[in-house]
Amino acid sequence: MIERRIAAELAERLETSPAVALLGPRQVGKTTLARMIGDQRPSVYLDLESDADRARLTDPELYLASHEDKLVILDEVHRLPGLFQILRGLIDEGRRKGLRTGRFLLLGSASPDLLRQSGESLAGRISYLEMGPIDGLEVPFEDLPDLWNRGGFPDSFLAGNDRLSQRWRQDFVRTYLERDVPMLGPRIAAETLRRFWTMLAHHQSGLLNSAEFARALGVDGKTVAAYLDLLVDLLLVRRLEPWHANVGKRLVKSPRVYVRDSGIVHTLLGLATLEDVLGHPVAGASWEGFVIETMIAASPEGTQANFYRTAAGAEIDLLLTLPGGALWAIEIKRSLAPAVGRGFHHACADLNPARRLVIYPGQESYPLREGIEVLPLQTASVALIETGR
């Protein structure tokens, strides 16, 4: 059992909000965490993919009202979107009785229907919390290479060997394409979406070029945009937007795209072992995505994540705007002896960030010229967490 950092935040939100939606891809550990929370207080757990549990909700208002003194955990809640309207009434009725917090914990795979329904029906009554795969702060330093190679889905990371981990990820991809996507989103041919997902893995950290993807898939640009929106909504792909401000420079306007879990990147490319990854051209881009996911997960609530790039070549891999407005400029290097290019220096001269970091896979922290700090991933993440305290 790996202790998840998000557990404390989930418990805190249940103490301050009547409903909390815990969103994340399938198999990321939402149910395990919810059951652990439920074991600490009176609770009822319903899996809405179970016929028996759905039968209990034949009259949902009556059943849920009979458990108003408990935390009701509704797993795969997108299966019954009509519940949201009922939950609103129960929450409002509970408030009149003094039951103001910790009523409902909703688990979902971040389907567009879930977000739309809950947003319409539970506005002002629900808190959203995103749960990602295991990140670089949740394992010891010596386990980071395995975490990067296998990805952060618990069953993949904890598998007995790389072969079993790869098999789990292959089954995960197949199940998503053949079962979950048709249930959660528009009807898309599984093979077409697999090709697109694989293209994104090959294109990891690259600028989005919808026309190029459209030509390769034999579809139009709007269809590519719909495919990308679906994978972003399902929290499987990150669209990192460019930073925009009036700095007197011609800035790149296309977003960068990342398959969010490094293990899924490697599986889509047929890479099973760490040696396979290190010998493949995607290694640097895969490490970059891995670092970005950990840093964003460690960021204080309200942090804005972008990249910075000008037509003249000034570039920052990850630019974090903290809630107070301070900028952190982050360069990501796979090398144990990282060298900072002129593009990063020029970008820092444009923006004058509060901190200038180079994140690399080593263990030591040391300074470079012009106020640049070279830090291990875990050290940089802890420093980011401490800014939010």
Side-chain angles (χ1 to χ4, degrees):
M1 180 68 182
I2 293 177
E3 185 175 347
R4 302 303 304 271
R5 289 187 298 110
I6 200 173
E9 186 173 357
L10 175 57
E12 181 182 290
R13 294 199 185 201
L14 285 169
E15 296 298 327
T16 58
S17 178
V20 178
L22 183 63
L23 306 177
R26 282 183 177 270
Q27 303 297 321
V28 82
K30 300 187 301 293
T31 301
T32 301
L33 179 57
R35 284 186 173 277
M36 184 184 75
I37 293 285
D39 288 341
Q40 299 169 1
R41 65 184 75 193
S43 64
V44 175
Y45 173 83
L46 298 176
D47 179 0
L48 300 189
E49 289 194 331
S50 160
D51 290 339
D53 283 357
R54 292 178 70 174
R56 296 192 207 180
L57 295 176
T58 302
D59 187 339
E61 192 165 5
L62 179 64
Y63 179 85
L64 294 174
S66 70
H67 293 285
E68 65 179 12
D69 58 336
K70 301 182 181 71
L71 171 66
V72 178
I73 303 169
L74 298 171
D75 204 345
E76 302 299 336
V77 69
H78 54 272
R79 295 296 300 269
L80 290 178
L83 271 180
F84 292 109
Q85 193 71 25
I86 293 169
L87 294 181
R88 182 177 69 174
L90 291 171
I91 288 171
D92 290 347
E93 178 64 24
R95 282 173 167 171
R96 287 190 283 272
K97 298 178 180 180
L99 304 171
R100 307 190 65 84
T101 62
R103 300 287 309 283
F104 299 101
L105 176 54
L106 314 179
L107 312 183
S109 301
S111 73
D113 281 346
L114 172 63
L115 297 176
R116 178 173 56 80
Q117 290 279 352
S118 61
E120 288 177 359
S121 301
L122 297 177
R125 304 168 180 86
I126 189 167
S127 176
Y128 294 99
L129 189 58
E130 180 185 323
M131 184 174 185
I134 298 164
D135 63 46
L137 267 181
E138 294 174 318
V139 300
F141 176 83
E142 58 270 19
D143 289 342
L144 281 179
D146 274 344
L147 181 63
W148 173 44
N149 174 44
R150 297 182 178 186
F153 287 94
D155 287 341
S156 175
F157 174 61
L158 298 173
N161 55 52
D162 287 343
R163 179 178 57 83
L164 295 176
S165 173
Q166 177 79 319
R167 181 188 298 167
W168 184 91
R169 282 174 275 145
Q170 289 169 341
D171 291 341
F172 173 86
V173 170
R174 185 180 305 113
T175 300
Y176 243 105
L177 293 171
E178 296 176 359
R179 175 181 178 272
D180 295 334
V181 169
M183 183 176 68
L184 294 170
R187 301 294 174 180
I188 301 172
E191 186 55 35
T192 300
L193 195 59
R194 173 187 282 274
R195 287 174 57 202
F196 179 60
W197 205 355
T198 303
M199 288 177 187
L200 291 176
H202 279 284
H203 197 68
Q204 184 81 342
S205 89
L207 294 174
L208 176 63
N209 186 333
S210 296
E212 182 181 328
F213 286 126
R215 285 193 298 271
L217 291 170
V219 298
D220 60 29
K222 290 183 179 179
T223 302
V224 166
Y227 291 172
L228 182 61
D229 286 344
L230 175 61
L231 292 175
V232 169
D233 284 337
L234 296 178
L235 304 176
L236 298 171
V237 169
R238 181 175 298 280
R239 185 166 40 205
L240 191 64
E241 298 293 341
W243 189 82
H244 286 299
N246 184 17
V247 292
K249 307 284 183 179
R250 286 179 52 211
L251 301 177
V252 167
K253 296 181 180 179
S254 297
R256 276 181 165 170
V257 286
Y258 297 85
V259 176
R260 293 182 59 166
D261 182 72
S262 57
I264 300 300
V265 173
H266 303 154
T267 291
L268 290 170
L269 299 179
L271 309 173
T273 68
L274 186 58
E275 289 301 313
D276 293 339
V277 175
L278 293 173
H280 194 279
V282 82
S286 171
W287 170 254
E288 182 179 317
F290 176 72
V291 170
I292 286 173
E293 289 303 314
T294 296
M295 292 298 288
I296 290 177
S299 297
E301 186 178 0
T303 298
Q304 181 179 331
N306 301 96
F307 74 96
Y308 178 83
R309 187 171 177 178
T310 70
E315 185 170 3
I316 295 170
D317 293 331
L318 179 63
L319 186 66
L320 297 176
T321 307
L322 303 185
L327 294 177
W328 282 32
I330 299 169
E331 180 82 348
I332 302 166
K333 297 292 186 183
R334 178 64 205 154
S335 169
L336 289 174
V340 181
R342 280 185 289 181
F344 184 73
H345 290 295
H346 291 161
C348 288
D350 292 342
L351 301 177
N352 191 27
R355 294 193 73 170
R356 309 175 185 200
L357 307 181
V358 175
I359 296 179
Y360 81 128
Q363 284 187 273
E364 294 185 17
S365 303
Y366 59 92
L368 293 178
R369 61 188 178 89
E370 299 186 29
I372 296 173
E373 307 164 73
V374 178
L375 299 179
L377 172 59
Q378 292 175 324
T379 303
S381 300
V382 169
L384 195 53
I385 289 173
E386 289 176 349
T387 65
R389 289 177 177 164

